[in-house]
Amino acid sequence: MVYDEVVDLLSRSNIRFRIHEHRAVRTIKDAEERAPDLVENLLKTVAFRVKDSIWVLAAVRCRDRIDYSKLSKALGVNRRLLFSLSPEDVSTELGFEIGGVGPIRLREDVRVIFDDKLKDAGMIRCGSGSNTHTLELDFADLLRITEGITRPITR
């Protein structure tokens, strides 16, 4: 299970983190209703595929919307080659539970990109692979462990 791999990666990397258990959530609206105390500083991660190439996990503040043109520019790919994944594909292809997608890279063919508004975010919360567990950790540690980049990718 991806959740176990995420926790193992963070532990092996000596990253300080907390895990918050809660009722299952699938959307930000679910999180607001079922785990409202965890929505502050929550990141939303959307999974993409560059046609015949890499997978992309794009993370933004939970209420922000991703601008596909800006995202494709930040990745250096043609916009027509960038596709968002269906929830089923996220689960099947990347192993994340629906509602538990986080910006954690566990494979070499996955790239992580964060909106540049997060540069000075401090402590954040994000998906853990499980839709009943939310991670809390320092953004700088998350950026380092994921080998992610920050670019303007929101509307």
Side-chain angles (χ1 to χ4, degrees):
M1 183 173 163
V2 168
Y3 170 76
D4 295 326
E5 293 179 57
V6 167
V7 170
D8 184 57
L9 173 65
L10 295 173
S11 297
R12 282 186 289 111
S13 303
N14 295 315
I15 302 290
R16 292 182 52 185
F17 65 97
R18 287 183 59 196
I19 298 171
H20 300 275
E21 265 190 84
H22 48 78
R23 292 178 23 215
V25 298
R26 294 174 59 97
T27 64
I28 296 300
K29 184 174 167 68
D30 286 350
E32 290 171 338
E33 293 171 1
R34 298 177 186 167
D37 53 324
L38 298 179
V39 176
E40 184 178 345
N41 297 325
L42 180 65
L43 303 186
K44 169 177 63 179
T45 304
V46 181
F48 294 87
R49 173 81 184 202
V50 176
K51 185 176 181 179
D52 300 325
S53 185
I54 61 171
W55 305 91
V56 177
L57 297 172
V60 300
R61 295 179 301 194
C62 70
R63 292 180 182 87
D64 287 350
R65 298 190 48 101
I66 294 175
D67 182 307
Y68 285 36
S69 294
K70 288 180 181 180
L71 177 60
S72 60
K73 180 179 177 184
L75 294 167
V77 300
N78 185 302
R79 166 62 188 97
R80 290 179 295 223
L81 300 177
L82 183 68
F83 301 93
S84 62
L85 299 180
S86 70
E88 294 75 22
D89 285 343
V90 171
S91 180
T92 302
E93 300 294 336
L94 298 176
F96 289 99
E97 287 183 353
I98 298 168
V101 180
I104 309 286
R105 175 181 123 116
L106 297 171
R107 301 174 7 186
E108 290 298 317
D109 61 345
V110 173
R111 298 293 174 267
V112 180
I113 186 166
F114 298 93
D115 186 59
D116 66 346
K117 293 176 189 141
L118 297 169
K119 284 182 187 174
D120 300 314
M123 294 302 283
I124 58 89
R125 295 181 178 113
C126 65
S128 65
S130 163
N131 63 14
T132 58
H133 297 84
T134 296
L135 290 174
E136 181 174 356
L137 68 159
D138 189 80
F139 179 72
D141 288 335
L142 180 61
L143 187 62
R144 181 174 48 82
I145 195 70
T146 61
E147 299 177 357
I149 61 172
T150 58
R151 299 287 188 278
I153 60 170
T154 55
R155 294 182 184 171

